[in-house]
Amino acid sequence: CLKSAIRSIVITGGEPLMHQLNPLTKVLRNNGFSTHLETSGAYPLSGHWDWICCSPKKFKTSLDSLVYAADELKIIVSNKTDFTWAKKYAGKTKDNCKWLLQAEWNVQEKVMPLIFDFIKNNPEWQISVQMHKYLNLP
């Protein structure tokens, strides 16, 4: 039955938390949507979320409180030093947070082997891919 289907809305960037999201998430939840956020974590949390993905950026520090609130930590890998950076942020997450590594698209051929090797030695991490890029979608 279509009425019983789960409907989810993902709010993502730019950076959604530059805005006050309480009114938006209230309307969405009141209309039967689950709410998912993808953020850099650099701004205070607003809104009511069923799932939070924090993807820290090197040019703006993520707030420790937001990293801890995340259900998922996604680190974009562009070189081998990013694994040390990833471990730093992983140490700030709650116990049941998923840890994901995603190759920066422009250097994916270079870094995917590094990600595979890292995950072999650190199986608590998983790979994330930008499926829309593989499918050549905008």
Side-chain angles (χ1 to χ4, degrees), residues 117-128:
D117 287 343
F118 181 83
I119 290 175
K120 283 180 195 174
N121 295 315
N122 300 273
E124 64 276 15
W125 288 87
Q126 299 175 2
I127 294 174
S128 172

Side-chain angles (χ1 to χ4, degrees), residues 31-132:
N31 285 282
F33 290 93
S34 63
T35 55
H36 301 238
L37 172 69
E38 182 163 345
T39 177
S40 68
Y43 296 88
L45 187 61
S46 65
H48 302 282
W49 305 100
D50 296 300
W51 188 265
I52 298 172
C53 172
C54 182
S55 184
K57 306 299 180 245
K58 290 183 180 174
F59 55 85
K60 188 149 184 152
T61 302
S62 296
L63 302 172
D64 288 346
S65 60
L66 205 141
V67 174
Y68 187 79
D71 301 289
E72 175 180 311
L73 174 70
K74 182 175 70 177
I75 302 296
I76 306 302
V77 178
S78 58
N79 61 62
K80 69 166 71 173
T81 64
D82 290 335
F83 299 113
T84 301
W85 195 67
K87 286 181 175 182
K88 171 188 146 188
Y89 274 100
K92 298 178 179 188
T93 62
K94 59 188 174 190
D95 289 340
N96 60 345
C97 185
K98 294 179 72 120
W99 297 343
L100 305 172
L101 299 172
Q102 185 175 94
E104 198 282 314
W105 185 254
N106 294 322
V107 293
Q108 68 167 338
E109 290 181 23
K110 179 181 92 173
V111 299
M112 282 305 278
L114 300 175
I115 291 173
F116 292 145
D117 287 343
F118 181 83
I119 290 175
K120 283 180 195 174
N121 295 315
N122 300 273
E124 64 276 15
W125 288 87
Q126 299 175 2
I127 294 174
S128 172
V129 297
Q130 292 180 295
M131 187 58 67
H132 68 286

